[in-house]
Amino acid sequence: MMNKTIEKNINYEKCKNVVKSLNDYYKGNKDLANIEFPSNIIINSHEYYLYIFYSCLLNYGMRSKVYNQNLINTYKDVPNLFNPNYIITLNEESLKSQLIKNIHPRYPNVGTRKWMELSKQLIQYKNLPDDLKILKSIGELNEFIKGIKGYGRKTGNLLIRMIRDSKICNFTEEIESIPIDRHDIEISYLTGITNKLKLNDKEIEDLSNAYVESGNDLNISPSNIDKYLWELGATLCTKKKCSECPLNIYCKNVQNKSKEV
């Protein structure tokens, strides 16, 4: 049961209803919110993990599937864009032109700086599988990612989830929190889990904890809940596909539209 501080900000029962509905809708779908890989990458190789680090860096959830396909096409045509030793030989303008031409980042200037800084961090790792194998907890993986820097709450957790799900690390524990972005907050507001759209850091933490605790109560993996929210936002909410949404019975937008008819 959630503590009283969280209960003031979060409708826990509605959160559980939302999590159950999401699980009923998406359960068994293995293609949710995952990064697809180029066919010529060997699974769990050094290049495989380099690709994961780069692909998560600018994956904000918006048009995620288009972004992932751009990455796959780029790896086929210009694989050096995923090689940190090559990237650090470029100036930013040259890198920016290649990223715009091939990957089409949403924010080219920011994306270029992030891509370059990540490359400078990654050159210190000669064999990422060996570095990841020694990590013994989700906390150690979190610290590893924080040490590399460049990732926000959403992109960082996607990276953590992808590495954790690859089973390379020496642990089986679940992710400890679900990263909450503005789309998750909007979904939570529209379904009545929260009563406002602007949340402070403590309220965002409470919301994350509510989703995790709901999953624990319902025996649903927090990693899967994160995938469900990511998929819902990217493929339904942003495309206004309300009639297909598993949460439309709770959604204020749908209810308001019904009243207008």
Side-chain angles (χ1 to χ4, degrees):
M1 174 63 72
M2 304 201 74
N3 64 49
K4 291 181 180 179
T5 302
I6 295 177
E7 286 179 347
K8 292 179 182 178
N9 304 318
I10 306 296
N11 188 318
Y12 187 58
E13 288 307 311
K14 286 188 177 180
C15 188
K16 284 180 66 175
N17 289 337
V18 163
V19 168
K20 184 180 184 305
S21 294
L22 288 172
N23 188 66
D24 290 343
Y25 185 78
Y26 286 119
K27 186 177 180 180
N29 189 333
K30 297 180 180 181
D31 297 324
L32 296 178
N34 281 328
I35 293 173
E36 296 181 22
F37 292 88
S39 58
N40 56 334
I41 285 186
I42 299 173
I43 294 176
N44 288 4
S45 65
H46 179 65
E47 291 72 25
Y48 177 88
Y49 288 103
L50 284 176
Y51 187 86
I52 289 179
F53 274 89
Y54 281 113
S55 60
C56 289
L57 185 66
L58 307 179
N59 193 337
Y60 304 113
M62 299 286 289
R63 296 172 57 82
S64 182
K65 294 185 184 300
V66 173
Y67 170 75
N68 286 330
Q69 188 58 55
N70 290 341
L71 290 171
I72 290 173
N73 294 339
T74 300
Y75 193 87
K76 177 181 177 182
D77 297 333
V78 196
N80 271 337
L81 278 179
F82 302 86
N83 180 346
N85 294 300
Y86 168 74
I87 296 298
I88 63 171
T89 67
L90 303 175
N91 60 48
E92 286 203 3
E93 279 305 311
S94 177
L95 175 59
K96 178 180 174 181
S97 66
Q98 291 195 55
L99 292 178
I100 290 174
K101 178 182 178 181
N102 295 283
I103 296 175
H104 315 298
R106 191 176 179 204
Y107 308 107
N109 292 329
V110 173
T112 299
R113 288 195 296 271
K114 282 180 170 287
W115 206 271
M116 179 63 77
E117 289 304 313
L118 175 61
S119 299
K120 292 176 181 178
Q121 296 282 328
L122 289 176
I123 57 173
Q124 64 183 303
Y125 300 101
K126 306 304 179 185
N127 192 314
L128 279 169
D130 286 348
D131 293 304
L132 295 170
K133 282 177 184 176
I134 64 174
L135 302 179
K136 297 181 180 180
S137 70
I138 198 74
E140 288 188 15
L141 178 56
N142 269 300
E143 290 303 312
F144 185 85
I145 301 306
K146 286 181 182 178
I148 291 179
K149 303 176 183 178
Y151 296 89
R153 182 184 285 119
K154 195 73 172 178
T155 56
N157 195 75
L158 175 62
L159 176 58
I160 289 168
R161 175 160 57 76
M162 291 299 298
I163 293 175
R164 184 260 178 203
D165 289 351
S166 76
K167 299 182 173 27
I168 189 71
C169 300
N170 190 23
F171 63 84
T172 58
E173 65 185 295
E174 284 284 355
I175 58 175
E176 297 174 330
S177 64
I178 292 173
I180 301 297
D181 65 5
R182 65 184 182 86
H183 297 293
D184 300 325
I185 293 173
E186 184 176 16
I187 289 168
S188 302
Y189 170 72
L190 291 174
T191 55
I193 298 172
T194 63
N195 57 13
K196 56 183 179 179
L197 278 170
K198 291 186 178 181
L199 304 182
N200 60 37
D201 289 344
K202 177 60 169 60
E203 290 167 337
I204 290 173
E205 181 182 351
D206 286 347
L207 181 57
S208 174
N209 290 338
Y211 278 115
V212 172
E213 290 190 30
S214 295
N216 291 337
D217 284 348
L218 296 167
N219 197 28
I220 299 170
S221 160
S223 178
N224 284 341
I225 297 171
D226 183 36
K227 291 179 184 180
Y228 300 158
L229 289 170
W230 187 291
E231 191 74 16
L232 187 83
T235 63
L236 296 178
C237 291
T238 58
K239 297 181 180 179
K240 308 297 182 184
K241 294 184 177 181
C242 299
S243 62
E244 300 175 28
C245 180
L247 305 183
N248 58 23
I249 59 173
Y250 312 115
C251 182
K252 294 177 183 177
N253 277 349
V254 175
Q255 292 170 2
N256 290 337
K257 287 178 183 177
S258 299
K259 292 176 181 177
E260 294 172 1
V261 175

